[in-house]
Amino acid sequence: MTRIFLTGYMGAGKTTLGKAFARRMGLEFIDLDWYIEERFHRSIPQLFAERGEDGFRQLERNMLHEAGEFENVVISVGGGTPCFFDNMDYMNRQGQTVFLDVDTDVLFRRLRVATQQRPILQGKTDEELCQFIGKALASRLPHYRKAQYTFDGSQLESRNQIAASVDRLQRLLGMEE
């Protein structure tokens, strides 16, 4: 039975790496945000607006515990998921946890082109975006660092980089074919 949780800041590449790794290993891939949206027929921003952050985080915790019971799965969790309740401890008990560590410059480059898809980033100048990422990442790092493994997520820009990253993750987790 395999259960792998990918954590890290938004734009770290959790979904990109998670999908490719799951495909290679013959595992199911679940993006927790997508899972929540499917279950509640609402977008994450809608759920935030309707329930407030506290209500959303409780819902997210419940869905993490639901998906965290599945077997043979790679689960990519939202950037804030590890920072609330006992979520990080829960993931560490349930399976293998991997923190995709990406520096602020790479996150800025990735998120700068995705501000329309991420409401929390909309309307920010480049300088404001860079400061926002740096501050948020610094506050979340203590939670992310509780993961069992740290993985460099900066090399996910091309198919070759993604394939090489999947190879490295397989070695890291002791799952070589």
Side-chain angles (χ1 to χ4, degrees):
M1 190 270 308
T2 302
R3 196 177 290 128
I4 300 164
F5 296 90
L6 300 179
T7 69
Y9 196 69
M10 68 175 128
K14 300 179 299 285
T15 299
T16 299
L17 181 60
K19 279 182 172 179
F21 185 78
R23 190 174 322 116
R24 165 104 47 99
M25 302 304 297
L27 303 169
E28 182 181 358
F29 174 75
I30 295 174
D31 178 295
L32 189 62
D33 284 347
W34 298 349
Y35 184 78
I36 292 168
E37 289 179 342
E38 286 292 313
R39 289 273 273 112
F40 291 88
H41 306 288
R42 299 239 185 311
S43 69
I44 298 299
Q46 286 173 318
L47 289 166
F48 246 90
E50 292 168 5
R51 295 169 181 249
E53 183 171 13
D54 291 343
F56 172 77
R57 293 300 178 189
Q58 184 61 54
L59 172 74
E60 178 183 55
R61 178 181 185 271
N62 294 343
M63 294 298 97
L64 173 65
H65 282 247
E66 185 175 296
E69 295 297 319
F70 299 160
E71 296 184 356
N72 301 318
V73 67
V74 176
I75 301 172
S76 165
V77 301
T81 307
C83 308
F84 295 89
F85 306 105
D86 64 341
N87 290 348
M88 199 65 223
D89 293 334
Y90 172 78
M91 290 185 282
N92 278 325
R93 285 191 311 270
Q94 289 298 104
Q96 295 175 292
T97 53
V98 181
F99 162 45
L100 268 64
D101 192 10
V102 180
D103 71 39
T104 306
D105 293 337
V106 173
L107 292 172
F108 170 76
R109 192 177 71 248
R110 290 178 183 170
L111 293 172
R112 185 172 181 236
V113 298
T115 55
Q116 294 310 310
Q117 293 87 4
R118 300 176 185 270
I120 196 167
L121 304 179
Q122 288 178 359
K124 290 185 174 20
T125 65
D126 284 357
E127 185 177 326
E128 290 169 337
L129 180 60
C130 205
Q131 288 175 351
F132 178 84
I133 292 167
K135 185 178 177 184
L137 183 59
S139 72
R140 291 178 175 188
L141 276 174
H143 302 283
Y144 294 157
R145 288 195 174 126
K146 291 179 183 176
Q148 296 156 356
Y149 302 96
T150 297
F151 185 85
D152 177 5
S154 63
Q155 301 295 309
L156 296 168
E157 310 304 322
S158 69
R159 285 185 180 168
N160 287 343
Q161 286 183 351
I162 293 166
S165 291
V166 168
D167 291 342
R168 286 189 300 115
L169 186 57
Q170 277 184 279
R171 285 192 300 277
L172 180 69
L173 298 177
M175 297 176 69
E176 293 99 341
E177 294 177 299

